[in-house]
Amino acid sequence: MRFQLSEDQRALRDGVREVLARRFGPRELRAAADGPPALDRALWRALGDAGFFALRLPESEGGVGLGLPEAVLAFEEAGRVLLPGPLIATHLAAGRVPGAATGETVVTAVDGGLVEWLEGADVVVGGGERGTVGPGAVAVRSVDPLTPLHRVPAGGPEAAPDPVAVLLTAAEQLGGATRACELAVQHARTREQFGQPIGGFQAVKHLCAELLVRVEVARAAVYAAAVTADPADIAAARLLADEAAVRGARDCLQVYGGMGFTWDVEVHLVLKRAWVRTRRTGGGTESEELLARELLSGTGSGGPGLR
C-alpha cells in the first residue's frame, strides 16, 4: 500500500510550518519559557486567520472544509515547535463556541480533573465561562513551564475520550518527537570530540537511528489512524506517539550529554511537554485498555469516519 501526502496536503503542511516559523521560532520559545505563562492573543488570532482552528469546519459554516488527515498535519507542526496553549480544545470548539474558529475566543477543557491554561482562557468546556469552574480550582505546579495547570473539583462521571482529541494529541507528540530527532542529529553533526563530530561514534549513531525509527513508526500509525478514524487505530497511534516523544527526548538528552540538562538547551522543554501530553485523556492506560477490549472482542479497523 502506497501512502503519500497529496500536493495540497504538502502545501498545507508547509504553509503551517511557515506561519509558525514567523510567529513562534526558537527565540519566541525561549522568551516564553523564561517568563511567566502568558497566552499570546495576537498569535492566537493569527492562527485563526490562517484557518488553523476551522480546518475541519464546513465551508458553509465559515470553515476550511478539510478533514482529519489535514488537521493531523497542522497539529504535528504545532507540536514540532512546542506551540503553547489549549490548541485542541479551541479547535474542537470551532463552530460551537462563538469566536473559537477565528481565534478571538480561547477555549480550554476539563480533562481528568485538570485544566490547561485556565487563567488564559475565555471558555472552559466542562466548566462554563472563565471562573465558573468553581472557587475550588487550585493551581498546581506543572513540569512544563509552558503548560500552566489547575486542578478542579470532581464533578459527575467523566465522558469517554474524544477520539479526535486523542489523535490530535498523538499528532502533537509526533511533532515533538520529530523536533527531538532533528536536535539530536544537528548536535551529533556539529559537536566534536577527539577531533571528529560525535555522530561518527557508533553509540551516538545508534541513538540517532533509534530516534528516527520511532518517529517514522509513529508517523505511519498516526497518519493511518487519521485516514481510518478507527478508535483502535487511534489508540495504537497515541501509544506509539507518546513513546516516540518521551523516549526520543530522553535519547536526545543522551546525545547532548551534560549540556542537555541545562536550561539554555531546549531539549528539556521538549521532554517536559511530552510528559505533560502523556497525561491527557486517552493516553497510557486508557489507550491500552481500549486496544485490549478490541482484541478480546475480535473487531478490527474500518470504523466510521470522523468529520
Side-chain angles (χ1 to χ4, degrees), residues 6 14 22 41 43 52 73 75 82 99 101 105 196 212 244-245 260 263 265:
S6 68
D14 295 344
R22 286 200 314 266
R41 291 281 181 153
L43 173 59
F52 186 90
L73 294 175
F75 275 84
L82 302 183
T105 302
Q196 66 172 315
L212 179 61
W263 184 262
V265 177

Side-chain angles (χ1 to χ4, degrees), residues 174 210-224 236-237 240-241 243-244:
L174 173 60
E210 289 168 359
L211 272 161
L212 179 61
V213 168
R214 282 194 294 269
V215 167
E216 292 306 316
V217 169
R219 176 171 285 113
V222 171
Y223 286 8
L240 288 168
E243 179 186 26

Side-chain angles (χ1 to χ4, degrees), residues 182-192 196-201 204-205 208 255-256:
E182 292 171 345
L183 290 171
V185 171
Q186 179 184 26
H187 188 72
R189 286 174 172 169
T190 56
R191 176 70 171 175
E192 292 190 358
Q196 66 172 315
I198 63 173
F201 300 114
V204 177
K205 287 181 181 179
C208 292
V255 173
Y256 270 78

Side-chain angles (χ1 to χ4, degrees), residues 135-181:
V138 177
V140 297
R141 186 173 182 179
S142 173
V143 68
D144 177 16
L146 295 175
T147 310
L149 296 170
H150 279 74
R151 189 175 299 281
V152 298
E158 293 222 7
D162 184 336
V164 176
V166 176
L167 182 59
L168 294 183
T169 298
E172 287 186 320
Q173 290 284 59
L174 173 60
T178 301
R179 179 70 166 267
C181 187

Side-chain angles (χ1 to χ4, degrees), residues 20 34 87 103 106 111 115 154 158 165 182 191-192 213 275 306:
L20 293 176
D34 288 341
L87 299 163
V106 178
D111 180 1
V115 183
E158 293 222 7
E182 292 171 345
R191 176 70 171 175
E192 292 190 358
V213 168
W275 275 336
L306 298 174

Side-chain angles (χ1 to χ4, degrees), residues 250 253-254 256-265 267-268 271:
R250 286 175 173 171
L253 282 173
Q254 294 300 316
Y256 270 78
M259 291 175 57
F261 291 89
T262 64
W263 184 262
D264 292 335
V265 177
V267 182
H268 70 97
L271 178 57

Side-chain angles (χ1 to χ4, degrees), residues 163 225 228-239 287 290-295 299-303:
T228 67
D230 181 76
D233 291 343
I234 290 174
R238 175 66 185 277
L239 290 171
S287 288
L290 189 153
L291 283 174
R293 289 194 298 269
E294 290 289 322
L295 290 171
T299 59
S301 299

